[in-house]
Amino acid sequence: MRKVSFFCLYAVFIIWLYRFVGIDSDQANHLLQADDILAGNFFLKDWHLTGVTFFTTDLIYFELVSLIFGVSYRAIYVANGLKFVSIAVTAYYAAMKGCCKDRNLKTVLFFLLAGVPCMSYMIHSKVHAGAVCLTFLAFCAVYDILQNSDINDRKMLWKYVLFAIVTALGTIGDMLAVVEGTIPVLLFSLYQLLMQDGWKRGSKYIKLAVSAIAGILAGLIWDRLYFFIGGANKNSYIGNQLFTDLFGCMEKVVLFTEQLLEMCMANFTGEKIADIWNLPKMASAASVIAAFVLIFIILRRMIQKEEKDTDELSNLLALSIIMSFLAFVLTDMAAPRYITLVPYAAVIIVVRNCSQMITYFRNKKLSVLILVTVAFVSFAGKIYDISGYQYPQSNIEDYQLIAFLKEHDLRCGYASFWNASKITVLSGKNVNVRHIIHSGETDDMLSIYRWFCKNEWYEESANFILINNEDGKAGEEDLFGVSEKRVIEFFGVPRESYEMDKYLILVYDYDISKKLNNLRVKSLQT
């Protein structure tokens, strides 16, 4: 009961933390997707999805909270809090898997190093969290298989099936689970197979590879059937990404290091030497450095076939971090949200190998004291940082905007992507704002932005446009090209215009959705 009570309080604390993160339109569209699935649209018919479906990963969290809280900001931060709790729980499970020695020390170290996230990690872990959890679970399944490979084949069959199922779920929901989870298992199996004296000794690695491939194939088949039956559109965003040129790779290495340190609250570069606030950051940086030293040792042992102190789970985590690094550096997929596995994989490696670190030094008591002290200083720094968190000002401004729109009976309109669906969610769907984009065909052309949206949205009668005016330039530098000048050229002179906080609001006396949809019909006919 004490453990259950502690876990419940911990989950409530983490969910409360995520209340301070805010909302963006990616998260809002996830929630609207989940709401549509619960309304009966299981196959997301009529939707334009991104290159990742999230069907078996992140969407599950939004479906769960939508049942309780509906379409609201509370549903957003509860879902994101539950995502982090899932990462922490699966990471702890992986850290303690098969560990008997120094278990209490390892539990304390894990909680101090990974129990509380910093703001940067909370922001970036809102997406792809499900892939991180499935990766840790897949590695635990593989560890079970490798540790018990001499057990009766019938009993082992279920372990291989479990690993294949986890792989299939990752393939269906988020290919990041394949890059960071399945590919490392395949590489590890292939390497071990090549290092064995004969096929018979390497049979367990062959079975692992076959299970991984079977899981990927099952996931791809499900994916094809899902889109064939439902008719949803999944774009080719991921497939169209490019490899980085040679000169860009070095910049990406620096960027990877910076992003990793930021997500660990360990980036003290550029700060004043005398600032005491750097101590927690240095402590966090020390744990990151220790992890990468251990990764080097782990890979050296694996290459040299040192069976003493071999830990297959640490081997897999090391390969996973390397795959994350290579994907970040060598491709255009260089965003911090793609490497949220790395900080927690690093912590797991440190925790699983801390006994060896202690044994390496002669004075064991002092080495334990140093480890715990460094971890505690890092933890204390995060707690101090949390004390300064405030409710997002952008949410307050958006709620004021929603009240204004309701007061003027403006219930449906358009905006650029980052200013659209979040208003819809914050209003509880009482004000619906859909995203549009400058199509690029002509200078004044605006069109539906077919990304994370449903065609049905654009059939609603609309009569206003929101323009981002945070910089006072009336949207001239808007990423999606929705500026005051372009809107007036396309939709005509508005009946009224208002300026409120960071927005311009252009109100029309006719249904502007018809002009947008007429262009869509013409483009389809063409």
Side-chain angles (χ1 to χ4, degrees):
M1 286 302 296
R2 285 198 299 269
K3 290 179 180 178
V4 171
S5 300
F6 173 79
F7 175 77
C8 291
L9 289 173
Y10 174 71
V12 169
F13 172 69
I14 294 298
I15 289 169
W16 173 77
L17 278 187
Y18 271 84
R19 184 174 177 267
F20 299 104
V21 175
I23 183 176
D24 60 40
S25 284
D26 275 341
Q27 298 287 291
N29 288 321
H30 270 309
L31 183 60
L32 293 172
Q33 265 185 305
D35 183 62
D36 204 26
I37 289 173
L38 294 174
N41 190 9
F42 177 80
F43 291 100
L44 292 173
K45 183 180 179 182
D46 212 32
W47 274 81
H48 296 279
L49 306 181
T50 66
V52 181
T53 67
F54 299 105
F55 191 75
T56 54
T57 54
D58 292 20
L59 264 182
I60 294 173
Y61 297 92
F62 288 102
E63 289 165 13
L64 177 64
V65 297
S66 183
L67 282 170
I68 303 170
F69 301 110
V71 176
S72 64
Y73 179 57
R74 180 173 292 175
I76 294 288
Y77 70 75
V78 171
N80 289 330
L82 290 176
K83 285 183 200 176
F84 176 80
V85 170
S86 299
I87 292 174
V89 168
T90 53
Y92 177 73
Y93 179 63
M96 306 305 290
K97 186 74 173 173
C99 291
C100 298
K101 189 178 180 182
D102 300 322
R103 193 173 181 85
N104 290 335
L105 172 63
K106 290 175 180 178
T107 298
V108 170
L109 282 178
F110 182 88
F111 181 76
L112 292 176
L113 291 174
V116 178
C118 65
M119 178 60 77
S120 176
Y121 191 85
M122 287 195 289
I123 290 171
H124 298 306
S125 65
K126 293 185 296 182
V127 189
H128 302 293
V132 175
C133 294
L134 287 177
T135 298
F136 291 153
L137 291 176
F139 289 168
C140 290
V142 172
Y143 180 80
D144 260 347
I145 290 169
L146 296 176
Q147 290 296 304
N148 303 287
S149 56
D150 54 348
I151 296 178
N152 183 286
D153 284 345
R154 186 174 292 180
K155 292 180 180 179
M156 287 300 299
L157 176 63
W158 292 108
K159 296 184 184 292
Y160 286 108
V161 170
L162 175 63
F163 170 60
I165 290 171
V166 173
T167 301
L169 292 174
T171 305
I172 292 167
D174 191 344
M175 289 299 288
L176 192 64
V178 175
V179 174
E180 296 180 336
T182 312
I183 291 178
V185 173
L186 288 170
L187 291 173
F188 178 76
S189 300
L190 177 60
Y191 177 77
Q192 293 294 342
L193 190 59
L194 290 171
M195 299 302 288
Q196 299 300 318
D197 294 332
W199 291 98
K200 193 171 184 180
R201 286 190 175 183
S203 61
K204 60 185 177 182
Y205 300 112
I206 295 173
K207 292 173 184 176
L208 262 181
V210 169
S211 300
I213 294 169
I216 292 174
L217 290 175
L220 292 175
I221 290 169
W222 166 273
D223 195 63
R224 288 295 180 92
L225 286 174
Y226 181 82
F227 286 100
F228 176 76
I229 294 170
N233 172 45
K234 182 171 75 168
N235 66 42
S236 56
Y237 170 75
I238 293 177
N240 289 332
Q241 297 305 297
L242 304 174
F243 283 105
T244 309
D245 60 70
L246 186 60
F247 294 104
C249 286
M250 293 307 298
E251 294 179 3
K252 294 282 189 68
V253 171
V254 175
L255 182 60
F256 177 89
T257 306
E258 288 179 347
Q259 297 292 356
L260 176 59
L261 293 176
E262 286 291 340
M263 285 193 286
C264 297
M265 207 188 77
N267 191 358
F268 57 87
T269 57
E271 302 291 337
K272 290 182 179 179
I273 296 174
D275 191 349
I276 195 170
W277 176 239
N278 288 326
L279 286 177
K281 293 183 178 181
M282 288 179 180
S284 298
S287 67
V288 176
I289 293 168
F292 279 88
V293 170
L294 286 168
I295 289 171
F296 173 78
I297 295 170
I298 288 165
L299 294 175
R300 190 199 66 192
R301 284 176 178 169
M302 189 167 65
I303 292 169
Q304 295 179 352
K305 295 182 65 177
E306 295 181 15
E307 295 186 2
K308 184 182 177 182
D309 298 325
T310 295
D311 176 27
E312 288 90 349
L313 212 156
S314 293
N315 293 344
L316 292 170
L317 289 164
L319 290 173
S320 181
I321 290 173
I322 290 170
M323 281 303 304
S324 299
F325 171 77
L326 292 176
F328 188 97
V329 171
L330 299 179
T331 72
D332 282 349
M333 308 292 284
R337 64 180 179 273
Y338 297 124
I339 59 170
T340 51
L341 172 140
V342 177
Y344 275 77
V347 169
I348 297 170
I349 288 174
V350 170
V351 171
R352 288 188 70 84
N353 293 275
C354 70
S355 295
Q356 296 177 40
M357 293 167 63
I358 293 167
T359 305
Y360 179 79
F361 298 101
R362 292 183 179 181
N363 193 328
K364 294 182 180 181
K365 290 184 179 180
L366 181 60
S367 58
V368 170
L369 179 63
I370 291 172
L371 271 175
V372 174
T373 301
V374 169
F376 180 77
V377 171
S378 172
F379 175 79
K382 291 175 185 175
I383 295 298
Y384 176 77
D385 196 40
I386 286 168
S387 67
Y389 288 175
Q390 295 181 345
Y391 187 79
Q393 180 63 30
S394 60
N395 276 24
I396 296 171
E397 293 171 352
D398 288 336
Y399 280 127
Q400 292 171 345
L401 171 68
I402 290 165
F404 178 87
L405 294 173
K406 285 181 180 179
E407 183 182 339
H408 290 77
D409 198 30
L410 301 172
R411 299 289 175 167
C412 186
Y414 302 126
S416 64
F417 182 81
W418 294 116
N419 299 310
S421 294
K422 66 171 186 173
I423 301 295
T424 305
V425 167
L426 289 173
S427 72
K429 296 201 296 188
N430 288 316
V431 176
N432 295 323
V433 183
R434 313 306 187 184
H435 41 272
I436 58 176
I437 191 171
H438 171 229
S439 64
E441 295 174 12
T442 61
D443 188 57
D444 63 343
M445 181 70 73
L446 294 171
S447 62
I448 296 169
Y449 183 35
R450 293 180 179 83
W451 172 275
F452 240 160
C453 67
K454 190 177 182 182
N455 285 330
E456 183 184 275
W457 292 356
Y458 298 92
E459 295 171 5
E460 304 164 334
S461 296
N463 65 340
F464 71 90
I465 306 281
L466 288 181
I467 295 168
N468 184 7
N469 192 38
E470 192 169 9
D471 56 4
K473 296 182 179 180
E476 289 297 325
E477 296 182 3
D478 183 79
L479 182 63
F480 299 91
V482 182
S483 65
E484 181 182 26
K485 178 182 177 182
R486 190 166 281 132
V487 166
I488 291 174
E489 288 176 348
F490 184 75
F491 288 110
V493 178
R495 183 192 70 202
E496 296 172 308
S497 62
Y498 303 95
E499 186 172 344
M500 184 174 186
D501 294 323
K502 58 185 178 183
Y503 295 107
L504 289 177
I505 308 167
L506 306 186
V507 181
Y508 288 85
D509 55 7
Y510 73 96
D511 182 4
I512 58 177
S513 70
K514 292 181 178 178
K515 184 165 185 179
L516 208 60
N517 279 301
N518 285 339
L519 286 174
R520 182 166 69 93
V521 171
K522 287 179 181 178
S523 66
L524 289 173
Q525 290 173 345
T526 304

